[in-house]
Structures are given as C-alpha cells and as structure tokens.
Amino acid sequence: IGGVVTMQTKEASDYLSAGKDFGAMIGGRYESNNMHAAKAAIYGDFDYVDFLIYGKKAKHKKVKLADGGSHYKNKNYDDLSSLANDEKITTNFAKFGTRFGDDHKLVFSAFKYDEKIKGMWQNLWQFSENDDDLFVRGKLTQKDYVLDYSYKPLNPWLNLAIKTYTSKAKYARGYYRKGNRVDYTNKDDRYGFGFKNTSNFTTAALD
C-alpha cells in the first residue's frame, strides 16, 4: 500500500460559517498541572481576498510528576514529586490570499514561534534553581515564510501548485558550571521549492 499525504495550514474558509465572510475567535485553556493559555484570531474571505490572523500565549510552571514522582536521588532530595520549570510561549500566524482571474490564486503565510525556558538540565536529578548547578535558561525561536501559487482551470489534467519557502529555527541556552557560564546554540535554516500537478482521469474497467 502506498500513497502521498498533503498537508497545509488552515485558512479563513476553514473557520467561517456557511454564508459568512468575516469572523473572529477567542479561546482559553487551563490545566491542573500548572499550564494555561489564551488564543485569538480574526479571519475573512471576500470576493478576491482572504486572510487569517492568529495569536496564542501559553505558560507552563512547575510540573508535578505522575505516579508519585521520580525515585532517583541526589544528595539534597530523597525523592522528587515535581520539577522546576518556567516556560513562556508566544505563537503568531498570518495568512493572506488573493484570487485573480477564475483559476489563479496566490497565498503568502508567516509563522513565528518564541519560547523562553527556565529549567534544570536533567530534571530527574535536580530539583530547584538553588540545587548544585546546571539551571538552564534558554530561548527557542522559529520563523517560517511560505509563498504558494495555484492554477486550477476546468481541465481534469491540470491542477498546478508551486511553492517556495524559508524556515529558520534557533535554540540558544546556557548554564553556570562551577562559576563558569556555558552557552551554546543550535540552528536549523532551510529553504525549498516545490512543483506539483495533479491529473484526474478514468481508467478502463477491470473485471
């Protein structure tokens, strides 16, 4: 069994109710294990233009471990039931599309992720900022930009899609070790181009 899976980000039409051309959304989330988040979006789909603007903020604090916690020990703690943790996450996404003629569409989207992190290097062995060492402060960021062009005429042999994108991610973090600060950064920069055409046709019947 084989096949191809195509995935794409949502657009205004995925959120709008039937017969509507503009809408908004607001939401929140709370979890008992020290996490809460809020999100909002506005979106619209008019004659030749559609758009989606989305934003979310989330916070994670000290995490309680399941099943009574970790049974690993260090010199200060006989048992760990929770982990030192402080995460602040901001997510932003925007997507704009324009239709020209009856068969052409151009879409531009931008994504930005920003996370500030405070926590232990090895959570199961250390408990708090005042523990031995390796209390890590870090920042994780990602920025993606995508440009899509599609051409869908009334021709079963033609369903053209062209895409170009750039993605840049970085994780920078550091800690103190015996009075010395250690910093390092991981980076992942990607660029790409894609071309696809989908044809629909009927094969001969098989008995």
Side-chain angles (χ1 to χ4, degrees):
I1 297 176
V4 176
V5 176
T6 299
M7 293 182 288
Q8 65 180 30
T9 53
K10 289 187 176 183
E11 55 189 30
S13 59
D14 295 312
Y15 291 96
L16 288 169
S17 302
K20 302 295 183 180
D21 57 16
F22 180 80
M25 176 269 291
I26 187 170
R29 177 176 176 179
Y30 175 82
E31 295 182 6
S32 59
N33 204 353
N34 289 321
M35 180 274 185
H36 60 275
K39 60 182 179 180
I42 58 173
Y43 36 86
D45 191 346
F46 304 99
D47 290 338
Y48 297 102
V49 177
D50 62 87
F51 70 91
L52 166 64
I53 301 174
Y54 171 89
K56 177 182 176 181
K57 281 187 173 291
K59 290 185 178 181
H60 300 254
K61 291 293 187 179
K62 183 182 294 186
V63 178
K64 298 177 183 178
L65 296 176
D67 300 326
S70 167
H71 298 293
Y72 292 106
K73 298 180 180 180
N74 62 26
K75 67 180 183 180
N76 294 325
Y77 299 95
D78 293 331
D79 192 60
L80 302 181
S81 59
S82 61
L83 305 176
N85 185 64
D86 185 0
E87 300 176 58
K88 297 179 177 67
I89 303 171
T90 302
T91 306
N92 294 303
F93 175 74
K95 191 171 188 178
F96 301 92
T98 179
R99 292 175 287 276
F100 48 99
D102 295 328
D103 310 317
H104 306 267
K105 186 173 184 180
L106 190 67
V107 179
F108 174 76
S109 63
F111 169 82
K112 183 181 179 182
Y113 180 91
D114 185 285
E115 180 176 4
K116 296 179 180 178
I117 307 165
K118 296 179 182 178
M120 305 310 299
W121 180 270
Q122 171 50 270
N123 283 327
L124 297 180
W125 289 86
Q126 295 162 312
F127 181 71
S128 72
E129 186 173 1
N130 297 320
D131 209 346
D132 295 328
D133 48 61
L134 300 188
F135 186 81
V136 176
R137 292 174 173 84
K139 185 175 182 180
L140 174 62
T141 60
Q142 180 174 335
K143 296 179 180 179
D144 300 340
Y145 301 99
V146 182
L147 183 64
D148 287 287
Y149 166 75
S150 61
Y151 175 53
K152 299 180 180 179
L154 295 176
N155 183 333
W157 292 93
L158 285 177
N159 186 348
L160 179 64
I162 300 174
K163 178 192 299 286
T164 182
Y165 69 90
T166 176
S167 177
K168 294 187 177 183
K170 181 172 69 173
Y171 183 25
R173 62 177 180 170
Y175 59 87
Y176 286 96
R177 177 77 173 182
K178 301 185 184 303
N180 298 315
R181 182 168 177 84
V182 179
D183 294 285
Y184 75 92
T185 301
N186 294 344
K187 291 184 177 181
D188 183 12
D189 295 346
R190 302 186 183 193
Y191 308 88
F193 175 83
F195 175 92
K196 180 180 70 173
N197 182 68
T198 304
S199 299
N200 296 314
F201 54 90
T202 302
T203 60
L206 299 175
D207 294 329

